[in-house]
Amino acid sequence: MRALALHLGLLAVLLTLHFVLPAYHHGNLARVMVLASFAMGYNILFGYSGLLSLGHALFFAAGMYGMGLSVQHLGLSAGSAMLIGVLAGAVVSGALALLALRTSGVAFMIVTLMFAQAGYLTILHFSEWTRGDEGFVLAQAGRMFWGVDLSDPNARYLAALMLFGICLMLSLWLVRAPFGRVLVAIRENEERVRMLGYDTFAHKLAALIISGTMAAAAGAAYGILFGYVGASFAAVQYSILPLLYVLLGGAGTVLGPFIGTLFMFYLIDLSSGITTAYMLIAGIALVLLTLFAPQGIMGELRRRLWKGLP
């Protein structure tokens, strides 16, 4: 009950901030919540299943382009386009899982990276439809969801909060369910789990599809809430970012991805206001955090203060 109260309390705080934050931080927090949803999907695969993927930008972009192309070229409504984006992510993650899970360790990392790069190059190749590196802006008419204009800052924030709340509570339920316990056991000792009679391939397959679908939902939401779809979101950077978010916040903790995303986002934001070498400052902070909090922020809190923190 304490864990449920903590996570519901966070959602209540985020809802309250909607009414009090100035415009700049209001927009930033909406962006953080969408990116944190992306990181939560990654955390299911890496933090709980122990599978290190370097190709999650593929799923994020699948959701974004599935949604964006449906609006831009098919003239679909935002709701239908969002659904197509999520389904695109599920299909792509399922197809990749069937191939990538035949490998393990470093080979798995390389395979996921190569698929992500293939997705990025595919976007660039079909520039007639995707506009390549330039990307395209979604018209305001295409961002209407059941009569609600998602380009409006208030609607955008609440929509981001809704997505974040769904991903947060789904993650909390998932990791406390028997399925989640098996994933943790696979992370710790896959051979022993297999000896106990569990189908570890099926569990990892399901984990990768769930992870990819959540990432696609975040990608579709990012495109429709902020009105832009571009190839940069399919680049390697967007495969590394969720890994950093999860490591900073605490891999294998439900709140870790949000804390890591918030920390990293504002670290870069504040550093860029001081110097053009803002990544140097961010890098130093990351090294220090890694040295003195190797389990991430929430991981250290779990180790020191609350052993039962999910």
Side-chain angles (χ1 to χ4, degrees), residues 162-173:
M162 183 178 298
L163 172 70
F164 176 76
I166 292 171
C167 291
L168 182 71
M169 300 314 294
L170 176 62
S171 296
L172 180 62
W173 171 79

Side-chain angles (χ1 to χ4, degrees), residues 9 161 197 303:
L161 177 59
R303 185 173 69 87

Side-chain angles (χ1 to χ4, degrees), residues 5-304:
L6 172 66
H7 293 79
L8 290 176
L10 173 63
L11 295 178
V13 169
L14 291 173
L15 179 60
T16 303
L17 289 175
H18 166 60
F19 300 102
V20 299
L21 282 178
Y24 178 72
H25 295 291
H26 187 270
N28 278 350
L29 192 52
R31 200 177 299 268
V32 165
M33 286 190 287
V34 177
L35 292 175
S37 301
F38 179 27
M40 279 189 281
Y42 188 85
N43 191 39
I44 290 173
L45 188 67
F46 172 62
Y48 289 100
S49 306
L51 295 171
L52 177 55
S53 165
L54 294 179
H56 256 56
L58 176 64
F59 310 136
F60 190 79
M64 177 176 284
Y65 275 92
M67 177 282 301
L69 294 175
S70 298
V71 171
Q72 190 80 351
H73 298 293
L74 301 180
L76 296 184
S77 64
S80 300
M82 277 286 295
L83 180 59
I84 289 178
V86 172
L87 289 175
V91 170
V92 170
S93 59
L96 184 145
L98 290 173
L99 297 172
L101 288 176
R102 297 176 181 273
T103 64
S104 61
V106 175
F108 179 82
M109 294 165 50
I110 293 173
V111 169
T112 55
L113 177 61
M114 291 301 99
F115 271 103
Q117 282 298 98
Y120 175 64
L121 294 174
T122 299
I123 291 171
L124 295 182
H125 180 73
F126 291 99
S127 58
E128 181 181 351
W129 296 88
T130 64
R131 301 290 297 276
D133 272 330
E134 182 183 352
F136 55 89
V137 175
L138 296 178
Q140 183 177 2
R143 299 168 65 189
M144 299 294 293
F145 187 81
W146 289 349
V148 178
D149 183 5
L150 294 178
S151 65
D152 177 73
N154 292 316
R156 180 176 60 200
Y157 185 97
L158 292 175
L161 177 59
M162 183 178 298
L163 172 70
F164 176 76
I166 292 171
C167 291
L168 182 71
M169 300 314 294
L170 176 62
S171 296
L172 180 62
W173 171 79
L174 190 66
V175 301
R176 300 177 77 181
F179 174 78
R181 303 296 188 187
V182 174
L183 291 183
V184 173
I186 291 173
R187 181 191 68 193
E188 298 300 322
N189 193 325
E190 183 175 351
E191 190 61 34
R192 180 172 294 181
V193 174
R194 190 180 294 112
M195 289 175 61
L196 290 173
Y198 290 98
D199 187 343
T200 57
F201 180 85
H203 279 78
K204 291 191 292 184
L205 176 67
L208 209 164
I209 292 174
I210 293 169
S211 177
T213 303
M214 286 179 66
Y222 197 97
I224 207 161
L225 293 181
F226 299 99
Y228 174 71
V229 175
S232 59
F233 294 104
V236 174
Q237 175 188 1
Y238 273 84
S239 288
I240 302 300
L241 283 177
L243 173 60
L244 289 179
Y245 297 155
V246 170
L247 288 175
L248 286 173
T253 63
V254 177
L255 288 180
F258 172 72
I259 299 300
T261 305
L262 185 68
F263 179 87
M264 186 70 173
F265 186 93
Y266 271 100
L267 178 64
I268 292 176
D269 184 64
L270 295 174
S271 299
S272 62
I274 299 172
T275 174
T276 55
Y278 59 90
M279 287 307 296
L280 176 62
I281 296 177
I284 292 172
L286 293 176
V287 170
L288 291 174
L289 190 63
T290 303
L291 289 174
F292 296 103
Q295 297 184 29
I297 297 170
M298 295 304 295
E300 289 297 317
L301 288 176
R302 178 166 62 185
R303 185 173 69 87
R304 297 172 185 271

